[in-house]
Amino acid sequence: MANTETALKEAASIDGAIGAALVDYTSGMALGTIGGGKDLDLTVAAAGNTDVVRAKVRTMEMLGLKDEIEDILITLGGQYHLIRLLKGRGTNGLFLYLALNKDRANLAMARHQLKKIESELDI
């Protein structure tokens, strides 16, 4: 079982990774971050993506959808932003956020690797 630090290091090792964060979407707080920098403030990204997750959860409730969100993808001109809602024990209300360089990333592999990281994460 991986802890937060190990999970973030694994996420940062994904090809094309710019930065990653573990975020509590009930508060909007990043519980841990790795990478980022002047071009990507992960604290701001955590708070902003919390609004995205809350909006999607609320929309699903209004539509009466009884399904679970696996991940949310935001595609920019040069980046992918991947949000993976966590479902394991003790992870309710958390998501992994991963920003990827579009030219260097393989989106399918990144999704697969985030799923693996989620399965090993113990909080």
Side-chain angles (χ1 to χ4, degrees):
M1 288 286 155
N3 62 19
T4 300
E5 183 179 344
T6 303
L8 289 173
K9 284 180 181 176
E10 287 180 26
S13 73
I14 293 172
D15 285 343
I18 298 168
L22 178 65
V23 184
D24 177 347
Y25 70 81
T26 60
S27 68
M29 298 286 294
L31 304 178
T33 63
I34 190 167
K38 66 177 179 66
D39 295 331
L40 180 63
D41 183 331
L42 288 168
T43 304
V44 172
N49 285 305
T50 292
D51 292 337
V52 171
V53 170
R54 288 177 184 163
K56 188 58 189 173
V57 169
R58 190 171 47 251
T59 301
M60 287 181 63
E61 288 171 356
M62 292 183 334
L63 292 171
L65 298 176
K66 303 294 184 209
D67 212 341
E68 292 181 335
I69 299 170
E70 284 185 23
D71 53 42
I72 298 169
L73 171 65
I74 300 168
T75 305
L76 306 178
Q79 297 177 358
Y80 294 122
H81 291 226
L82 192 54
I83 301 166
R84 178 151 187 99
L85 277 67
L86 305 183
K87 298 169 193 67
R89 183 177 54 85
T91 62
N92 192 29
L94 301 180
F95 66 86
L96 275 169
Y97 166 72
L98 177 64
L100 298 160
N101 179 310
K102 206 171 172 182
D103 293 332
R104 294 185 13 242
N106 178 323
L107 185 56
M109 284 302 299
R111 289 183 70 225
H112 176 74
Q113 289 170 293
L114 272 186
K115 184 176 182 177
K116 181 179 180 293
I117 291 167
E118 174 192 8
S119 71
E120 295 171 352
L121 183 60
D122 187 24
I123 298 188

